[in-house]
Amino acid sequence: MTEPTPDVIAAHGLNEPEYAEVLNILGRAPNLVELGIFSVMWSEHCSYKSSKKWLKTLPTTAPWVICGPGENAGVVDIGDGQAAVFKMESHNHPSFIEPYQGAATGVGGILRDVFTMGARPVANLNALRFGSPDHPKTRHLVAGVVAGIGGYGNCVGVPTVGGEVNFHPAYNGNILVNAMTVGVAPADRIFYSAAAGVGNPVVYVGSKTGRDGIHGATMASAEFNEDSQEKRPTVQVGDPFTEKLLIEACLELMATDAIVAIQDMGAAGLTSSSFEMASKGGMGVELALDQVPMRETGMTPYELMLSESQERMLMVLKPGREDTARGIFEKWGLDFAIIGRLTDSGRMVLTWHGETVADLPIDPLAQASPEYDRPWVDTPAPAPLDEAALPAHPTWDAALATLIASPDVASRRWIWEQYDHMVMGDTVQRPGGDAAVVRLHGSNRGLALTTDCTPRYCRAHPESGGAQAVAEAYRNLSAVGARPLAVTDNMNFGNPEKPEIMGQFVGACRGMAAACEALEFPVVSGNVSLYNETAGEPILPTPAIGGLGVLEDVERMATIDLKAPGQALVLLGGPEDPEAGWLGQSLYLREVLGREDGPPPPVDLAAERRAGALVRELIAGGACDTCHDVSDGGLLVAVAEMCLAGNLGAELSLGTVQAQFGEDQGRYVVAVPAADAEALIARAAEAGVVARRIGTSGGESLTLAGQPGTLALDRLRALHEDWLPTYMDGSTPSAPDSQE
Amino acid sequence: MRAAVIVFPGSNCDRDVAVSLRAATGHDPIMHWHADTELPKVDLIVLPGGFSHGDYLRSGAMAAHAPVMREVKARADQGVAVLGICNGFQVLTECGLLPGVLMRNQSLRFICRDVFLRVEATDTPFTAHYAPDQVIRVPVAHHDGNYFADPATLDLLEGEGRVAFRYTDADGTASAAANPNGSRRNIAGVLSANRRVLGLMPHPERLADPLLGGTDGAPLFSALAESLAA
Amino acid sequence: MKATVHVTLKNGVLDPQGKAVQSALGGLGFAGVEEVRQGKVIELTLAETDPEAARASVEKMCRELLANTVIEDYRVDIEG
Amino acid sequence: MKATVHVTLKNGVLDPQGKAVQSALGGLGFAGVEEVRQGKVIELTLAETDPEAARASVEKMCRELLANTVIEDYRVDIEG
Ligand SMILES: Nc1ncnc2c1ncn2[C@@H]1O[C@H](COP(=O)(O)OP(=O)(O)O)[C@@H](O)[C@H]1O
Ligand SMILES: [Mg+2]
């Protein structure tokens, strides 16, 4: 084969120093297959070359962590001999091109990362960011992404129990679709990807390989092939039915002792799965690519190595177990093929009908991938908010009406009703609360799950934004009564070659690291998605956090709905001054006053931890079963959500705009019998948590003591529930009328 | 009572219904693989919810031709009780054990939420523990639940009292607003002529445990356990 | 040998997809769309080389699986 | 005036439905089914009476709504 031309090298995304390193490693020019392999292995996506240095600063250990970053998913001990296996992953770009299939295959991919490790998936979540609702593409993207997530998750029969959605013009040209899967496995039966055992068979299972999603470089390399029309890369299409069969077949095989190592074929398909398995185990591999099950005729080794066809797995089996495995996969109607053997050569040797088509050393590719210390600059601290210079405040009820129907606060029911959130029969807290809770099958214990990030905070100050995202996940888990155990993250940023974007990444990592450390809430898995820019416009920095916690008894669980009239509403958490409140970067500022400025609320991690511990103690002790953390929109929005969920009004005393709509962190509203309020406040004082009574539940509207105006629950509900369905129907969303 | 749950490739509520059957009868049902034609003697056959064969082509169409289905039809003809929930209902219509067809939801969207149902027939082994016209709350979760049959068939079903459940609002009114999927005459479940085969789109097994938020589905399983007790 | 099967809803059977497409077209500003019906087209590649045998076999597939004759009609085309 | 639109998956794009139908046909005992691809057929009744105008309008409908051109091809037939 001829030596690749500079054009072809560039089309494979390798820069000059990287290509020089390729020549250095091989001692010769690579052929096209080899170049393709280098290209995907050293892509940002697979090698983490820009982010590695900073990811290493995240805390990843705790006594309950069984497996941190580095495997397909993170694993934590959840007690009772069980482990939770979880991870989050992005499918941003494919979802923008083809929202249904992009989102669907995102769900499929993250499911495989989890069941690869021997866990039965028990819950899916999704963190979504779309452009402005006014942007002509947004509606179509929302519809497609939601249908795709539902289409895949519903069919595989894993409940989609939670997630988050934001709208902001910064995502107009680059939406974010981050999917998270949580699985459960026996703690002593986790499967890993390190290959072992010279001579052991390497086995391919699942769907056949087609020309799906082949690296964009294929286009450019078409000059190496005739009939390039036929070889055009194609969008990946998900087949959730096959995935369901693959889950059942893999779990069935995992119940035997046939498997040495297993790895899903995700991004960069056969290339990255085979290199990762070999590299982790310090092995060599020989693959006969002509043995790979193929969906189309005329496929080449290059295409087979780079295809991103879905629903495929690679395994190393113990010798002699091939027939057991084959029997199981054939029963489930899946392809099964022995495509190679492990060797001790430390090399990847690929053959095609007996002829060697690539011969590469494994470690230099897998481990000596480039690592960059990209230049970065800190995001300048935002100027303090000059509250005196703000425009006139509308009345509280008008402001609340606007906020409760604003795109980032409005009910997401239209979305989660398209997700089967109950299949598997263990969803004890459905979407709509602070965290979803799924019962561990056959027990009274449960897992609490949430995803969180406030990108507007992250843009204003990446470090506090990063900390806030972790703290909010911690808070959402605590608010249902769960002990927060660990997080997975999905770092979505712009072009890291720009120092200010790299600075956002570094800042967010710093904030996350500090919060994870302080809250004993380590990062056990994650994913980085960079270059989220269109025409030079970056997205808001979005380090999405997926949090997991455990509940010892799901009957001692809190929900956000007010449950009885006459209960005291108590605010736990600062500020000390009941009139004060943090308006910088608040939704009130953006949605009501039309400005995005000021610094985001600071996060006091010690206070966060004290408040979380107190709330968990109250819930576990049976002192309280109604709790909601205070986040987007501040205290009035939080209480309004509690009222709507319980279909019960409340009267509050909140004197100032700051107290009503400030977004101070580390806060929860709990409802307790009025007679218990004083004892609760005293207990909070003992625990070092600021607490005060802010009102009483009851009636059919929300009122503020001593202030005119009232919001009837029916009206509040219509505002909250109607925005998204109305928007998706295509009619102009009705602007909430400010006064009655 | 001995029950068998037929497991098709892509079934995903098989375990859920087994949990409810176990709670009602005290023992586990037989989980029977669709390709296995040797169906043991049982008092109840359950076709569970899910996406058999991915719901490709038409929901339930391919499962209706599963090897075991010939035997299921034979048993139904002998009077063995057959319960099809959601995808199971779709299979029952596709294989001709129940009339009509379940088309794409009118909204074209998958819908998962609690709905209210009015119990229209209580003289069956499935519904004997409900009161006539009782309104119950049970979830639906489907993309193709829009029940369709020609007017003559619908009239026949109504005339023979074979509409088992109808979508209603909380006070039992079968309004258009209470219809989640566009089903003709708000029909949520239908019976065979001998009243021994029931297909319904809602999932009684999903609200048969107080921790899941309700128990209105439980009487269906307790009624089966009682009326089919050997 | 190739066979193409068209599966369409019988007259009088409501077509939620067709209706939705029709109203979406209206929403996009296409005037004068009086009716929309959506059906399936299934293309089969068969080993069979005799057109008559192919047709017979595909008709049988339609009756047994490809169409639900309660609500659907089908048409089989065989091409060389 | 009637228009018929055939929407089919592009070559090389995975067709999970077609695949499942193929294996179901095998299960029903139909031998020699080498490939199955499933597409949509959309029949439109238009007020438009000029064939050329009708075609132009339907082609536009295809691009804007009826076909997902990222993964699908379409073909428009206009009949009297
Ligand atoms: N932001 C991050 N924080 C922590 N760990 C990360 C992060 N990004 C990636 N990782 C870890 O790096 C490893 C490789 O990630 P990835 O390539 O996305 O996994 P996979 O190949 O399974 O898709 C995983 O163990 C993942 O958990
Ligand atoms: Mg993986």
Side-chain angles (χ1 to χ4, degrees):
Chain A
M1 210 172 263
T2 41
E3 184 173 345
T5 62
D7 280 359
V8 169
I9 295 162
H12 280 78
L14 294 172
N15 61 27
E16 268 179 43
E18 286 169 353
Y19 186 67
E21 185 56 23
V22 170
L23 295 178
N24 180 33
I25 288 172
L26 292 184
R28 61 174 166 84
N31 63 31
L32 185 63
V33 177
E34 293 167 337
L35 183 69
I37 289 172
F38 271 100
S39 136
V40 294
M41 288 299 291
W42 288 4
S43 68
E44 189 65 57
H45 188 92
C46 289
S47 72
Y48 291 89
K49 57 193 170 190
S50 301
S51 57
K52 236 187 262 179
K53 170 180 161 91
W54 298 101
L55 292 181
K56 284 182 202 151
T57 64
L58 298 172
T60 59
T61 57
W64 51 87
V65 173
I66 295 176
C67 174
E71 278 288 336
N72 286 300
V75 186
V76 295
D77 189 332
I78 52 173
D80 246 7
Q82 287 185 302
V85 177
F86 69 113
K87 181 162 186 269
M88 179 152 46
E89 196 152 81
S90 64
H91 234 210
N92 302 337
H93 190 61
S95 302
F96 187 74
I97 309 253
E98 209 313 271
Y100 185 98
Q101 295 298 343
T105 51
V107 173
I110 192 62
L111 279 162
R112 285 192 293 284
D113 273 332
V114 166
F115 70 80
T116 295
M117 299 197 72
R120 176 170 287 281
V122 298
N124 283 328
L125 293 92
N126 54 103
L128 310 178
R129 321 279 160 187
F130 296 105
S132 162
D134 303 329
H135 190 270
K137 279 202 142 155
T138 301
R139 190 178 286 114
H140 160 75
L141 290 167
V142 173
V145 165
V146 170
I149 290 172
Y152 207 100
N154 299 345
C155 184
V156 296
V158 175
T160 302
V161 297
E164 57 177 337
V165 188
N166 290 147
F167 294 88
H168 192 280
Y171 304 103
N172 280 350
N174 197 123
I175 61 171
L176 301 183
V177 174
N178 298 168
M180 168 168 161
T181 294
V182 183
V184 174
D188 58 357
R189 294 282 295 161
I190 306 296
F191 288 78
Y192 296 100
S193 56
V198 173
N200 280 348
V202 177
V203 166
Y204 169 116
V205 299
S207 280
K208 292 182 174 25
T209 298
R211 294 191 174 99
D212 313 271
I214 291 177
H215 195 265
T218 332
M219 285 291 229
S221 57
E223 61 206 46
F224 279 78
N225 304 312
E226 53 299 353
D227 66 340
S228 50
Q229 174 64 19
E230 263 305 291
K231 297 189 172 163
R232 197 168 45 172
T234 58
V235 169
Q236 309 158 39
V237 168
D239 181 357
F241 171 56
T242 296
E243 180 102 333
K244 166 70 175 166
L245 304 181
L246 195 55
I247 294 176
E248 299 305 332
C250 286
L251 292 177
E252 192 173 324
L253 182 61
M254 283 161 167
T256 73
D257 66 346
I259 298 176
V260 175
I262 176 164
Q263 166 79 30
D264 64 294
M265 290 189 229
L270 190 50
T271 294
S272 81
S273 54
S274 57
F275 272 89
E276 270 174 43
M277 289 176 89
S279 167
K280 286 205 179 108
M283 304 296 297
V285 184
E286 277 174 23
L287 297 180
L289 293 177
D290 45 282
Q291 296 302 306
V292 171
M294 288 170 239
R295 198 171 81 222
E296 296 176 59
T297 52
M299 290 193 69
T300 63
Y302 180 91
E303 292 170 329
L304 289 167
M305 288 307 285
L306 268 59
S307 164
E308 294 191 349
S309 287
Q310 303 288 297
E311 292 96 20
R312 304 179 299 161
M313 300 283 227
L314 200 63
M315 307 186 297
V316 175
L317 294 182
K318 290 189 184 160
R321 303 303 162 86
E322 295 91 331
D323 290 343
T324 312
R326 186 189 298 276
I328 291 172
F329 283 88
E330 284 178 355
K331 167 185 155 197
W332 289 99
L334 296 164
D335 271 287
F336 176 98
I338 298 169
I339 62 167
R341 308 249 149 224
L342 295 185
T343 67
D344 57 5
S345 68
R347 298 187 74 84
M348 174 79 55
V349 178
L350 305 177
T351 63
W352 181 246
H353 299 291
E355 195 182 311
T356 298
V357 290
D359 184 348
L360 297 167
I362 284 164
D363 279 354
L365 257 108
Q367 285 168 21
S369 56
E371 178 171 341
Y372 294 131
D373 183 2
R374 301 232 186 246
W376 55 278
V377 294
D378 257 326
T379 305
L385 185 68
D386 180 2
E387 294 193 12
L390 291 178
H393 298 287
T395 59
W396 72 270
D397 50 333
L400 179 56
T402 300
L403 277 170
I404 205 82
S406 65
D408 279 357
V409 177
S411 167
R412 273 70 178 109
R413 183 183 306 277
W414 185 90
I415 293 174
W416 45 258
E417 283 190 346
Q418 292 184 61
Y419 301 152
D420 189 339
H421 47 269
M422 303 176 215
V423 62
M424 298 185 89
D426 283 312
T427 306
V428 295
Q429 185 155 167
R430 298 183 189 179
D434 284 324
V437 179
V438 292
R439 182 170 56 182
L440 290 160
H441 195 67
S443 81
N444 243 23
R445 307 175 72 249
L447 291 179
L449 309 165
T450 179
T451 74
D452 296 287
C453 179
T454 313
R456 62 180 188 279
Y457 295 171
C458 296
R459 179 172 66 178
H461 194 256
E463 185 165 347
S464 1
Q468 193 275 341
V470 174
E472 187 171 344
Y474 177 88
R475 209 179 295 147
N476 277 322
L477 298 175
S478 300
V480 301
R483 185 162 71 91
L485 289 183
V487 306
T488 180
D489 65 52
N490 206 142
M491 310 286 282
N492 307 275
F493 289 79
N495 179 352
E497 294 160 36
K498 295 183 186 168
E500 59 288 2
I501 300 289
M502 199 58 212
Q504 293 177 339
F505 185 82
V506 172
C509 284
R510 271 203 220 116
M512 285 165 55
C516 291
E517 188 71 51
L519 301 173
E520 262 193 296
F521 197 29
V523 175
V524 296
S525 61
N527 177 242
V528 178
S529 171
L530 301 175
Y531 299 95
N532 290 290
E533 302 206 349
T534 305
E537 284 301 312
I539 59 162
L540 302 186
T542 311
I545 301 295
L548 175 138
V550 68
L551 272 150
E552 290 307 323
D553 180 358
V554 292
E555 294 187 55
R556 288 279 170 88
M557 168 181 87
T559 52
I560 73 167
D561 51 304
L562 295 179
K563 294 174 185 67
Q567 290 206 323
L569 300 182
V570 175
L571 173 66
L572 301 174
E576 298 272 0
D577 175 0
E579 308 264 278
W582 193 277
L583 290 184
Q585 292 300 330
S586 65
L587 270 193
Y588 174 82
L589 216 56
R590 192 178 86 191
E591 298 295 328
V592 179
L593 301 185
R595 7 196 327 171
E596 294 183 60
D597 55 356
V603 181
D604 176 343
L605 293 166
E608 197 72 64
R609 191 169 172 155
R610 288 193 302 273
L614 173 65
V615 164
R616 297 194 300 270
E617 169 195 312
L618 295 172
I619 297 169
C624 149
D625 63 0
T626 303
C627 179
H628 188 18
D629 77 307
V630 181
S631 59
D632 274 348
L635 197 46
L636 259 187
V637 166
V639 173
E641 289 167 344
M642 298 173 80
C643 291
L644 289 175
N647 202 21
L648 199 60
E651 186 182 45
L652 303 179
S653 32
L654 294 176
T656 62
V657 167
Q658 286 75 6
Q660 291 156 5
F661 298 111
E663 294 183 5
D664 305 75
Q665 297 295 297
R667 301 191 297 168
Y668 303 81
V669 178
V670 297
V672 294
D676 299 349
E678 261 178 49
L680 169 64
I681 290 167
R683 172 68 197 109
E686 241 172 62
V689 175
V690 181
R692 67 176 173 276
R693 181 162 176 178
I694 55 164
T696 306
S697 62
E700 290 176 359
S701 58
L702 187 58
T703 55
L704 286 196
Q707 295 195 43
T710 175
L711 268 171
L713 281 187
D714 287 349
R715 170 137 186 277
L716 208 48
R717 184 180 315 284
L719 288 165
H720 190 54
E721 292 293 345
D722 290 351
W723 183 79
L724 189 52
T726 308
Y727 171 67
M728 293 308 298
D729 271 354
S731 15
T732 325
S734 52
D737 43 339
S738 43
Q739 230 92 53
E740 269 175 339
Chain B
M1 178 194 69
R2 274 185 24 117
V5 177
I6 310 292
V7 182
F8 300 99
S11 291
N12 61 34
C13 305
D14 43 336
R15 187 184 79 178
D16 303 2
V17 77
V19 168
S20 294
L21 287 167
R22 184 186 169 83
T25 64
H27 50 257
D28 291 318
I30 297 162
M31 304 307 278
H32 188 88
W33 183 237
H34 75 123
D36 181 355
T37 51
E38 306 282 304
L39 183 62
K41 185 174 163 357
V42 290
D43 310 299
L44 170 70
I45 298 168
V46 180
L47 308 183
F51 286 69
S52 59
H53 298 273
D55 270 4
Y56 298 145
L57 189 64
R58 293 183 311 279
S59 303
M62 292 186 248
H65 295 288
V68 75
M69 286 306 292
R70 185 183 297 265
E71 187 58 25
V72 170
K73 283 191 260 185
R75 300 288 174 90
D77 289 343
Q78 294 157 15
V80 172
V82 179
L83 170 64
I85 301 171
C86 196
N87 191 226
F89 185 13
Q90 294 159 342
V91 176
L92 290 173
T93 58
E94 280 285 342
C95 75
L97 277 173
L98 291 175
V101 54
L102 292 144
M103 304 189 64
R104 182 63 23 122
N105 293 347
Q106 201 162 40
S107 67
L108 304 190
R109 290 191 297 271
F110 187 95
I111 172 95
C112 176
R113 67 173 162 88
D114 289 356
V115 297
F116 292 101
L117 302 176
R118 192 172 68 216
V119 183
E120 305 273 294
T122 51
D123 58 337
T124 80
F126 309 94
T127 53
H129 286 183
Y130 294 115
D133 291 331
Q134 185 179 340
V135 176
I136 61 174
R137 180 173 56 92
V138 177
V140 291
H142 60 245
H143 211 162
D144 300 287
N146 183 349
Y147 186 73
F148 176 88
D150 58 46
T153 306
L154 294 172
D155 288 343
L156 176 81
L157 289 174
E158 305 260 17
E160 294 182 350
R162 287 165 56 190
V163 174
F165 299 99
R166 232 184 275 273
Y167 301 109
T168 64
D169 59 23
D171 358 297
T173 310
S175 62
N179 186 339
N181 51 32
S183 288
R184 289 288 155 107
R185 304 188 192 179
N186 282 39
I187 292 172
V190 300
L191 293 156
S192 61
N194 69 0
R195 313 178 88 64
R196 305 288 287 180
V197 179
L198 169 68
L200 77 170
M201 287 313 297
H203 287 272
E205 79 280 16
R206 292 192 181 186
L207 276 187
D209 172 351
L211 277 174
L212 296 178
T215 55
D216 285 359
L220 187 138
F221 298 99
S222 66
L224 285 167
E226 190 181 298
S227 41
L228 304 179
Chain C
M1 163 149 279
K2 300 236 180 217
T4 306
V5 176
H6 279 81
V7 180
T8 47
L9 285 171
K10 291 197 153 117
N11 272 339
V13 175
L14 97 168
D15 175 8
Q17 269 133 319
K19 260 175 76 180
V21 168
Q22 185 180 0
S23 84
L25 287 173
L28 286 172
F30 292 98
V33 181
E34 292 168 354
E35 199 187 355
V36 180
R37 305 280 287 172
Q38 183 171 324
K40 284 184 252 217
V41 50
I42 301 165
E43 300 170 341
L44 303 124
T45 310
L46 305 170
E48 182 61 63
T49 52
D50 171 52
E52 277 323 296
R55 173 176 303 276
S57 154
V58 174
E59 300 252 356
K60 186 152 183 275
M61 291 176 196
C62 288
R63 286 191 305 273
E64 290 188 16
L65 180 71
L66 301 181
N68 179 339
T69 51
V70 175
I71 50 164
E72 293 170 330
D73 291 325
Y74 60 87
R75 190 183 85 219
V76 176
D77 296 316
I78 304 283
E79 327 145 36
Chain D
M1 165 149 273
K2 299 237 179 217
T4 306
V5 177
H6 278 82
V7 181
T8 49
L9 283 170
K10 290 194 155 128
N11 264 344
V13 173
L14 172 72
D15 177 8
Q17 307 221 50
K19 204 173 99 180
V21 170
Q22 184 184 0
S23 82
L25 288 172
L28 285 174
F30 291 98
V33 181
E34 292 169 353
E35 199 186 357
V36 179
R37 304 278 287 172
Q38 183 172 327
K40 280 186 286 213
V41 51
I42 301 162
E43 300 171 342
L44 302 127
T45 310
L46 304 171
E48 182 61 63
T49 53
D50 171 51
E52 276 324 295
R55 173 175 303 276
S57 155
V58 175
E59 300 252 354
K60 186 152 181 274
M61 292 175 195
C62 288
R63 287 190 303 271
E64 291 185 18
L65 181 75
L66 303 181
N68 176 350
T69 52
V70 179
I71 53 175
E72 294 170 332
D73 291 326
Y74 60 87
R75 192 184 84 219
V76 176
D77 296 316
I78 304 283
E79 329 144 35

